[in-house]
């Protein structure tokens, strides 16, 4: 069913409640309700197992108090919900059932804001009416739901918190090809899109050993409580009973603290861009990587967290490619390391696939630690024939990546209308261009492209700095020649 | 500093003897001159060129150099005069000014003519000859480097140096003199300039020792590739600088209409409500017969929405939010030296109403025209002919009228004219205006199409906040120019 219509109707109900202020609280309100409903759906499945002990205490399960549309409402409901929250936050985990930890961790940071039991009941009933987690296909609508809500959250744009379009996550996971048993990490997992894509890629597991392996090798870290909650729910729906998602700021730990036991075989991720970290966080990183740009710090983290021969697929903005002042020194250091020690081998340049949330061009970088790169293949994915841009109703689809898949199988240079579309650059060539990757297979400059002022200024400054540097270099040579009277 | 400036500076150093050091072992220029006098009988017969005096020469030169006139160190003559009637002999190739460039000799178009044997002798070119344009781009010089058979015509001076004097050195001297404006001082003529032989001979030229001439030429040739490279980078820098300010302005306007420069205030009435007020206002005025009933416009489809806007805003068509649109007469009225200002596209094209180049019409005609179209203060003027799609607010108290190329948009109390101008000038609306503009030489943005232009409508109070923000930012941008 149309997610945006559902969200609008849920928001219409919530808007009437005096306790809710603004989009951020709407989301929080919906997410815990969805979590409890989804969790109960899972409990119903688990009950078929022998020796199953329930997780959420009787009386507090969704089916007990929420499922019946004529159930408690009004002030009684509000009082009940308060009791529910305090019980869940203090849930007794002495029997060691990890799923109890899950519930407790999830509710640690969550609140009920609604003041009117009547509206809350309306909200619950509407959710029951429209969202059915037993139905397999509904599981996939979960990310759509979050996506719809994120769109309303204007501030999400500022925080760089984006939902990565599924065709992008699917493509990255496909190319990285994680196998069952390999440790997989997304250190900025958001709602868990990359992780669920990995699970889908690995395919159905049959034996209990395999299920155990899957459960213990898929990992995610997420800083914000809302996406953390949704990621947990998402993985639970994907049959990961105790999702290994840590609610933490990946950048808050000194890089040197990480050791072999933390390292993983595969990292697939879309770190937040445009974010700025404070000085304390910067200090966690070695000098050559100290910057306030969040995405760059993540790159330093990722390179550290990979095992030797570990593989990575990551989404980065154009800003990383051309290197924005004054942090371009750090970006340069990262690129140098990617080439020297992390076997950077392919970069796929995407058009604006995050529209209409954000008008940014992004790039997919693929590399492998412990390998020295000979050079990088660049490939520019153009909009399909006849498509000027992706929209909410006509979003990007998996099949739009088919040309890249075809090309990847046997990488050859391609030029279209005199512009490079696919081309191999040696490490030397990249060094000569001062690691300005933006020059490689760029999108031909179309008059219509309107860059955001920030990006426009950054690009101008980078170009100007580069030109000034070139000019100075040439003038230096001229001066030397003038003085050289050998 | 342009590449041209850089080159000029290098050449200046060269001709002043400051590019390469002097070498005391070199035979001095004065010794060279004495030797040349001895070797060349013709020179002994000529009047001795008087030595230069301090005030005649343009700059100082090293001790070992000498100031000379060309006829002291070379023999020079103009080429064959072409006269179709009188030419006879065999068909020979010859050079004229279209073959002589600073970069070298061009063989793109080599003419031929009949030369007699005598003429062939007289007008043959030899390797090392310096060719100087007598007319056209006066003073343009190149060295003939080939040993193939070639002749030349009277638009060129052929300068053949005595002894081992280096023609390339003198080619650089000519180039410096050209960019320094010295050649033009010696050229005569009003419309078409010429550098006659006597004038050429009267130019003082600095003569270094022969060995030093070679060193200078080598040095300049080593430097030129760098100067060229510099020219390329500097050219790119100029062009990005020129483009940047404009691009930044456009980017800011686009941000403004997406709601990215301002915040929502909870007390603001959302645009959906605003639109209701606008419709009510329009209805009232239609009932009172003050305005025409607006035509119904099609709903805005998903495809027409290029970006998301805040929830409190609404996508609308221009025609939905204005009280009316009108344009001026389709004929050109009689103009006078004074009267009522009559404006067209050029008076609006800068984004601001500018009367400085306005024409004038009679008050009577203005009264007539006002029945159909009368610009009021706070209307928005929008160009629809020639350069289309540019909006400016009428902030003037002066009464004026417009030609057909300018549309007058009037709004009610719920649309801020400055916001409307910002929106219309944004890349989004501008692109639409261009899409709706028909024709190539006679460009026309018709009123029926114009009103279909889509734009985001913010809550009323936010419109003013946007205007203020944009004005602040654009003022800062102006400082970049």
């Amino acid at each position: 069913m149309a997610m945006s219509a559902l969200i609008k109707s849920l928001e219409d109900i919530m808007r009437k409640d005096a306790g809710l202020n603004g989009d951020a609280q709407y989301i929080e309100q919906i997410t815990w309700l969805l979590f409890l409903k989804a969790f109960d759906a899972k409990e119903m499945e688990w009950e078929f197992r022998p020796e199953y002990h329930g997780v959420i205490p009787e009386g507090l399960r969704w089916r007990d108090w929420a499922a019946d549309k004529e159930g408690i409402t009004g002030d009684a409901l509000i009082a009940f919900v308060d009791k529910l929250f305090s019980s869940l936050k203090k849930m007794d985990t002495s029997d060691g059932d990890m799923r109890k930890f899950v519930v407790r961790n999830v509710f640690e940071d969550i609140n009920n804001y609604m003041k009117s039991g009547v509206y809350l009941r309306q909200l619950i009933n509407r959710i029951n009416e429209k969202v059915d987690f037993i139905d397999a296909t509904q599981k996939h609508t979960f990310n759509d739901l979050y996506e719809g809500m994120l769109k309303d959250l204007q501030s999400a744009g500022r925080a760089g918190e984006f939902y990565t379009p599924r065709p992008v996550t699917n493509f990255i996971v496909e190319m990285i090809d994680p196998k069952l048993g390999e440790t997989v990490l997304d250190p900025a997992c958001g709602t868990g899109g990359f992780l669920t894509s990995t699970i889908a890629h690995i395919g159905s597991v049959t034996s209990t050993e395999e299920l155990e392996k899957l459960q213990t090798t898929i990992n995610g870290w997420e800083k914000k409580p809302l996406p953390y909650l949704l990621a947990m729910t998402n993985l639970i729906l994907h049959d990961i009973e105790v999702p290994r998602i840590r609610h933490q700021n990946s950048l808050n730990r000194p890089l040197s603290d990480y050791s072999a036991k933390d390292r993983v075989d595969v990292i697939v991720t879309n770190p937040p861009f445009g974010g700025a970290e404070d000085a304390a966080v910067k200090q966690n990183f070695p000098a050559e990587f100290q910057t306030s740009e969040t995405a760059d710090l993540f790159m330093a983290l990722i390179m550290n967290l990979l095992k030797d021969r570990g593989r990575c697929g990551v989404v980065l903005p154009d800003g990383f490619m051309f290197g924005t002042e004054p942090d371009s020194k750090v970006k340069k250091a990262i690129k140098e390391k990617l080439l020297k020690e992390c076997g950077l081998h392919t970069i796929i340049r995407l058009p604006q696939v995050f529209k209409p949330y954000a008008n940014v061009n992004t790039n997919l970088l693929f590399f492998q630690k412990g390998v020295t790169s000979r050079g990088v293949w660049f490939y520019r994915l153009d909009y399909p024939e006849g498509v000027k841009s992706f929209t909410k109703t006509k979003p990007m689809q998996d099949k739009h990546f088919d040309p890249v898949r075809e090309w990847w199988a046997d990488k050859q240079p391609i030029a279209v209308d005199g512009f490079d579309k696919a081309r191999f650059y040696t490490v030397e060539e990249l060094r000569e261009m001062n690691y300005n990757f933006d020059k490689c297979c760029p999108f031909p400059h179309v008059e219509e492209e309107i860059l955001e002022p920030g990006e426009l200024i950054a690009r101008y400054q980078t170009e100007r700095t580069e030109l000034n540097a070139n000019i100075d270099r040439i003038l230096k040579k001229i001066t030397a020649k003038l003085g050289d009277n050998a | 500093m342009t590449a041209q400036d850089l080159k000029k500076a290098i050449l200046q150093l060269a001709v002043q003897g400051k590019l390469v050091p002097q070498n005391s072992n070199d035979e001095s220029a004065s010794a060279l001159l004495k030797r040349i006098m001895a070797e060349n009988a013709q020179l002994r017969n000529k009047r001795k060129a008087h030595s230069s005096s301090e005030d005649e020469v343009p700059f100082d030169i090293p001790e070992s150099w000498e100031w000379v006139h060309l006829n002291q160190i070379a023999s020079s003559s103009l080429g064959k005069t072409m006269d179709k009637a009188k030419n006879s002999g065999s068909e020979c190739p010859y050079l004229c000014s279209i073959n002589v460039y600073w970069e070298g000799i061009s063989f793109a178009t080599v003419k031929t003519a009949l030369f007699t044997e005598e003429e062939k002798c007289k007008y043959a070119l030899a390797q090392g000859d310096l060719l100087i344009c007598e007319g056209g781009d006066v003073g343009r010089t190149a060295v003939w480097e080939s040993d193939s058979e070639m002749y030349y015509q009277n638009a060129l001076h052929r300068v053949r140096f005595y002894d081992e004097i280096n023609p390339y050195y003198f080619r650089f001297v000519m180039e410096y003199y050209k960019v320094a404006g010295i050649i033009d001082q010696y050229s005569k003529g009003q419309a078409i300039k010429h550098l006659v032989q006597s004038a050429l001979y009267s130019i003082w030229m600095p003569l270094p020792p022969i060995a030093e001439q070679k060193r200078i030429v080598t040095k300049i040739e080593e430097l030129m590739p760098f100067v060229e490279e510099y020219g390329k980078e500097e050219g790119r820098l100029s062009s990005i600088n020129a483009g940047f300010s404009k691009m930044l302005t456009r980017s800011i306007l686009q941000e403004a209409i997406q709601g990215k420069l301002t915040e929502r205030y909870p007390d603001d009435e959302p645009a959906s409500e605003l639109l209701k007020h606008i419709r009510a206002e329009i209805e009232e005025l239609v009932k009172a017969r003050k305005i025409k009933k607006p035509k119904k416009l099609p709903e805005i489809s998903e495809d027409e929405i290029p970006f998301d806007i805040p929830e409190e805003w609404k996508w609308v068509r221009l025609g939905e939010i204005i009280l009316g649109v009108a344009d001026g007469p389709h004929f050109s009225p009689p103009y006078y030296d004074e009267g009522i200002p009559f404006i067209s596209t050029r008076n609006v094209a800068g984004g601001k109403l500018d009367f400085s180049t306005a024409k004038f019409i009679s008050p009577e005609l203005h009264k007539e025209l006002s029945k159909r179209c009368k610009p009021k203060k706070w209307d928005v003027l929008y160009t629809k002919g020639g350069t289309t799609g540019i909006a400016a607010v009428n902030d003037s108290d002066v009464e004026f009228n417009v030609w057909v190329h300018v549309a007058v948009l009037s709004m009610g109390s719920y649309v801020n004219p400055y916001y409307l101008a910002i929106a219309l000038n944004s890349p989004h609306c501008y692109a639409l205006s261009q899409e709706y503009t028909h024709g190539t030489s006679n460009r026309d943005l018709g009123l029926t199409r114009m009103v279909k232009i889509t734009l985001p409508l913010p809550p009323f109070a936010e419109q003013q906040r946007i205007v203020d923000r944009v004005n602040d930012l654009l003022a800062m941008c102006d400082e970049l120019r």
Side-chain angles (χ1 to χ4, degrees):
Chain A
M1 84 136 285
M3 269 305 135
S4 49
L6 167 63
I7 293 160
K8 278 231 153 32
S9 69
L10 292 178
E11 285 175 351
D12 285 342
I13 298 171
M14 288 188 283
R15 205 170 285 129
K16 296 188 251 187
D17 189 292
L20 285 169
N21 283 315
D23 296 341
Q25 293 186 346
Y26 289 172
I27 293 194
E28 203 170 320
Q29 195 66 24
I30 298 176
T31 54
W32 67 259
L33 289 169
L34 286 173
F35 173 83
L36 286 177
K37 182 177 161 80
F39 198 82
D40 200 35
K42 272 324 226 183
E43 288 225 64
M44 289 198 227
E45 273 180 39
W46 297 332
E47 271 161 23
F48 288 103
R49 298 182 191 164
E51 297 172 18
Y52 177 74
H53 308 289
V55 181
I56 294 185
E58 241 183 82
L60 299 181
R61 297 171 303 189
W62 184 268
R63 72 190 93 157
D64 301 323
W65 62 273
D68 178 8
K69 72 178 176 100
E70 305 292 329
I72 39 165
T73 178
D75 293 335
L77 177 56
I78 297 296
F80 174 80
V81 165
D82 284 343
K83 211 181 70 174
L84 172 69
F85 267 70
S86 60
S87 307
L88 293 179
K89 282 182 202 273
K90 292 197 305 255
M91 195 131 131
D92 176 16
T93 54
S94 54
D95 65 359
D97 186 345
M98 293 304 289
R99 286 167 296 205
K100 293 196 176 152
F101 276 108
V102 167
V103 176
R104 206 174 74 174
N105 286 343
V106 153
F107 274 83
E108 199 170 34
D109 258 332
I110 295 294
N111 306 287
N112 167 47
Y113 293 107
M114 285 177 82
K115 294 218 158 61
S116 157
V118 172
Y119 291 138
L120 182 55
R121 170 50 60 183
Q122 281 181 15
L123 197 63
I124 291 170
N125 288 350
R126 180 41 68 85
I127 289 176
N128 280 330
E129 208 185 312
K130 300 290 185 186
V131 183
D132 179 0
F133 286 122
I134 310 287
D135 174 12
T137 55
Q138 281 281 346
K139 293 181 194 172
H140 296 293
T141 65
F142 208 41
N143 282 352
D144 292 349
L145 188 68
Y146 190 56
E147 177 183 356
M149 290 190 292
L150 274 185
K151 182 175 90 67
D152 297 344
L153 193 62
Q154 197 72 1
S155 56
R158 307 289 155 81
E161 185 170 69
F162 295 110
Y163 167 73
T164 313
R166 199 165 314 117
V168 175
T169 55
N170 289 343
F171 176 76
I172 290 179
V173 168
E174 208 183 304
M175 294 302 130
I176 292 291
D177 191 24
K179 306 268 190 300
L180 177 62
E182 287 186 305
T183 44
V184 178
L185 169 67
D186 181 346
C189 70
T191 57
F194 277 98
L195 302 179
T196 53
S197 187
T198 300
I199 294 169
H201 177 82
I202 289 175
S204 53
V205 286
T206 41
S207 70
T208 30
E209 287 100 16
E210 287 188 333
L211 186 60
E212 181 71 28
K213 237 193 223 169
L214 188 64
Q215 303 227 17
T216 52
T217 51
I218 307 289
N219 302 277
W221 301 344
E222 175 49 48
K223 178 169 100 164
K224 298 193 180 212
L226 249 40
Y228 166 69
L229 169 53
L230 284 169
M232 290 292 254
T233 319
N234 199 3
L235 289 212
I236 287 176
L237 288 171
H238 277 79
D239 302 322
I240 306 293
E241 290 174 25
V242 185
R244 291 162 71 109
I245 313 248
R246 284 195 228 155
H247 181 196
Q248 68 179 38
N249 181 350
S250 314
L251 303 177
N252 236 356
R253 210 176 139 192
L255 199 61
S256 46
D257 275 5
Y258 291 108
S259 62
K261 64 173 169 51
D262 301 302
R263 298 201 166 98
V264 296
D265 297 303
V266 169
I267 293 183
V268 279
T269 183
N270 178 1
F273 354 116
E277 300 294 323
D278 57 36
V281 166
K282 252 167 105 162
Q283 295 302 330
N284 289 329
F285 290 81
E288 77 260 27
F289 296 133
Q290 276 182 9
T291 170
S292 50
E293 162 82 47
T294 312
D296 293 345
L297 291 175
F298 266 99
M299 282 308 288
L301 178 67
I302 289 168
M303 291 193 290
N304 187 310
L305 285 177
L306 282 172
K307 278 188 194 161
D308 184 48
R309 301 283 141 163
R311 313 183 299 288
C312 173
V314 61
V315 186
L316 288 173
D318 267 2
F320 178 83
M321 300 290 276
F322 59 81
T324 48
E325 290 288 340
D327 289 328
S328 63
K329 272 201 299 284
V330 169
K331 290 180 168 64
K332 188 170 161 200
I334 294 172
K335 288 176 207 170
E336 277 177 331
K337 189 160 179 173
L338 281 174
L339 289 168
K340 203 150 145 229
E341 298 168 28
C342 295
L344 177 63
H345 56 83
T346 314
I347 297 185
I348 308 292
R349 308 206 64 181
L350 301 181
Q352 298 186 0
V353 300
F354 283 84
K355 263 180 132 140
Y357 312 137
N359 294 349
V360 285
N361 277 72
T362 50
N363 305 270
L364 312 181
L365 276 68
F366 294 88
F367 53 94
Q368 182 172 32
K369 188 158 165 187
V371 175
T372 308
S373 176
R374 282 186 316 110
V376 182
W377 268 107
F378 284 79
Y379 179 96
R380 179 186 77 238
L381 177 59
D382 294 306
Y383 285 116
E385 190 77 46
V387 174
K388 277 215 310 218
S389 79
F390 295 117
T391 61
K392 205 172 35 160
T393 43
K394 297 211 182 99
M396 193 180 195
Q397 293 163 45
D398 280 315
K399 66 175 189 211
H400 293 138
F401 270 96
D402 284 345
V404 197
R405 292 185 175 98
E406 219 182 284
W407 169 82
W408 191 295
D410 175 24
K411 295 175 180 163
Q412 294 295 332
I414 306 174
V416 175
D417 289 339
F419 289 104
D420 286 325
K421 184 179 164 84
R423 187 170 148 182
F424 183 76
Y425 287 82
T426 61
V427 176
E428 248 321 297
E429 288 175 307
L430 294 172
R431 188 178 307 131
E432 301 253 302
M433 53 176 75
N434 212 23
Y435 304 107
N436 181 352
F437 290 172
D438 191 44
K439 289 197 165 146
C440 309
C441 299
F443 283 86
H445 209 65
V446 177
E447 188 58 60
E448 294 160 18
E449 191 192 7
I450 307 294
L451 288 175
E452 290 178 313
E455 234 190 278
L456 180 69
I457 290 173
R459 201 168 255 189
Y460 163 73
Q461 286 177 318
T462 305
E463 231 190 312
R464 187 186 58 182
T465 306
E466 195 197 317
L467 287 173
N468 280 333
N470 288 350
I471 285 174
D472 285 341
R473 188 173 40 89
I474 297 167
L475 288 176
K476 210 168 156 195
K477 282 197 215 162
I478 291 177
T479 309
K481 211 106 316 280
L482 285 170
D484 173 18
N485 289 307
Chain B
M1 178 178 67
T2 61
Q4 185 74 312
D5 295 329
L6 186 56
K7 190 169 195 191
K8 183 172 168 196
I10 291 174
L11 290 174
Q12 187 170 35
L13 288 178
V15 305
Q16 292 183 3
K18 296 181 182 157
L19 187 64
V20 299
Q22 282 65 55
N23 186 330
S24 47
N25 293 329
D26 294 341
E27 176 198 47
S28 72
S30 61
L32 171 62
L33 278 177
K34 285 204 178 73
R35 202 152 48 82
I36 288 175
M37 278 279 274
E39 287 168 5
N40 288 284
Q42 306 109 291
L43 288 179
R44 273 182 248 125
N45 296 336
K46 287 206 168 79
R47 247 180 318 151
K48 211 171 166 195
H50 68 280
S51 310
S52 56
S53 64
E54 288 248 338
D55 12 316
E56 285 185 329
V57 294
F59 44 82
D60 286 336
I61 50 176
E63 281 289 315
S64 53
W65 292 34
E66 286 290 326
W67 281 107
V68 297
H69 290 303
L70 261 187
N71 53 348
Q72 286 175 268
I73 52 170
S75 68
S76 169
S77 52
L78 286 171
K80 172 175 156 70
T81 310
M82 290 300 152
D83 189 338
K84 273 230 175 80
K86 295 199 189 131
N87 289 349
S88 62
S90 46
E91 196 81 25
C92 298
Y94 70 90
L95 299 184
C96 54
S97 38
I98 58 163
N99 304 101
V100 173
Y101 295 94
W102 294 112
E103 294 79 8
I105 302 290
S106 163
F107 293 94
T109 313
V110 179
K111 300 186 193 165
T112 58
L114 299 176
F115 281 70
T116 62
E117 285 308 306
E118 197 199 320
E119 283 170 335
K120 278 167 78 171
C121 242
K122 207 168 162 195
Y123 300 118
L125 291 180
Q127 221 171 4
D129 281 345
L130 193 67
L131 296 167
I132 302 177
C133 290
E134 189 265 0
D137 187 7
V138 175
R140 198 167 68 205
T141 306
V143 177
W144 174 250
E145 300 178 307
S146 168
D147 57 5
S148 55
E149 195 185 328
M150 186 60 72
Y151 306 91
Y152 72 111
Q153 169 243 43
N154 68 347
L156 299 174
H157 296 278
R158 178 196 65 193
V159 177
R160 202 166 270 171
F161 292 96
Y162 298 132
D163 208 86
E164 305 278 322
I165 291 179
N166 194 320
Y168 294 95
Y169 166 76
F170 280 96
R171 178 213 156 290
F172 283 124
V173 172
M174 286 301 289
E175 190 172 356
Y176 173 69
Y177 277 6
K178 181 74 182 176
V179 298
I182 295 174
I183 301 291
D184 288 333
Q185 285 170 31
Y186 285 87
S187 319
K188 295 236 173 17
Q190 292 281 58
I192 303 174
K193 292 239 175 206
H194 289 278
L195 180 68
V196 299
Q197 181 159 59
S198 52
L200 180 61
Y201 282 167
S202 65
I203 305 177
W204 284 115
M205 300 203 183
L207 176 72
I210 287 186
E212 191 167 345
Q213 291 171 27
K214 180 91 182 95
R215 291 203 298 279
I216 292 173
V217 168
T218 306
K219 191 66 146 197
I220 296 177
E221 284 175 349
E222 282 174 351
L223 288 166
M224 280 309 123
F226 295 123
V227 174
E228 259 179 58
E229 221 191 314
Y230 173 84
K232 261 195 251 148
E233 300 294 303
E234 194 268 333
R236 279 174 63 200
L237 186 62
S238 307
S239 72
I240 67 162
N241 278 335
F244 178 63
S245 175
K246 184 159 176 242
M247 282 174 78
L248 187 56
T249 303
R250 290 168 64 212
S251 183
I252 287 170
L253 294 179
Q254 189 81 344
E255 289 287 286
I257 65 167
Q258 293 181 69
K260 291 189 179 170
L261 296 183
T262 44
E263 300 234 319
R264 319 286 93 62
Y265 288 5
D267 289 333
D268 285 347
E269 197 182 39
S272 48
E273 291 300 309
L274 194 64
L275 201 51
K276 290 189 188 141
H277 293 314
I278 294 175
R279 289 192 187 127
E281 193 179 18
I282 292 177
E283 241 184 78
E284 285 274 332
L285 290 168
V286 169
K287 268 205 203 112
R289 294 180 174 265
K290 293 261 178 71
I291 59 171
K292 272 199 299 221
K293 186 175 162 84
K295 273 214 196 76
K296 184 122 172 64
L297 292 164
E299 287 274 315
I300 299 178
S301 69
E302 190 82 45
D303 290 336
E304 289 181 273
I305 297 182
F307 47 79
D308 280 351
I309 52 175
E311 225 190 36
E312 296 81 348
W313 294 30
K314 193 151 169 46
W315 276 102
V316 296
R317 293 198 194 269
L318 181 59
E320 291 180 70
I321 58 171
I322 53 176
L323 298 183
V325 57
D327 58 4
H330 292 236
F331 58 85
S332 277
Y335 297 124
Y336 301 96
D337 287 332
E338 50 176 35
I340 303 291
F342 190 70
I343 62 163
S344 184
T345 304
R346 69 173 169 282
N347 307 100
V348 177
K352 273 188 81 61
L353 182 52
D354 170 23
F355 285 112
S356 58
T357 54
K359 303 197 172 148
F360 297 94
I361 57 171
S362 67
E364 293 78 36
L365 181 58
H366 170 61
K367 204 158 157 212
E368 236 347 273
L369 297 174
S370 300
K371 291 184 188 154
R372 204 182 84 121
C373 169
K374 184 171 172 163
K376 297 185 311 296
K377 194 169 181 186
W378 307 130
D379 283 342
V380 170
L381 303 168
Y382 195 40
T383 63
K384 57 185 279 286
T387 308
T388 59
I390 311 210
V393 175
N394 176 17
D395 53 1
S396 168
D397 292 306
V398 172
E399 209 163 294
F400 65 92
N401 219 306
V402 301
W403 193 38
V404 65
H405 276 186
V406 177
V408 180
L409 304 166
S410 47
M411 284 135 281
S413 351
Y414 300 99
V415 179
N416 183 319
Y418 285 102
Y419 173 76
L420 183 61
I422 284 172
L424 289 175
N425 286 329
S426 71
H428 164 76
C429 289
Y430 182 74
L432 283 175
S433 78
Q434 298 310 292
E435 219 183 284
Y436 290 149
T437 299
H438 291 177
T440 38
S441 50
N442 273 337
R443 303 185 78 231
D444 170 57
L445 171 58
L447 296 180
T448 342
R449 292 190 296 276
M450 185 193 287
V451 295
K452 292 199 322 205
I453 290 177
T454 55
L455 61 140
L457 181 69
F460 187 68
E462 190 165 359
Q463 292 176 29
Q464 184 59 46
R465 297 201 293 277
I466 291 172
V467 170
D468 293 335
R469 277 298 263 146
V470 168
N471 286 342
D472 285 341
L473 287 168
L474 292 189
M476 290 182 220
C477 279
D478 273 343
E479 293 186 49
L480 283 173
R481 273 179 228 272

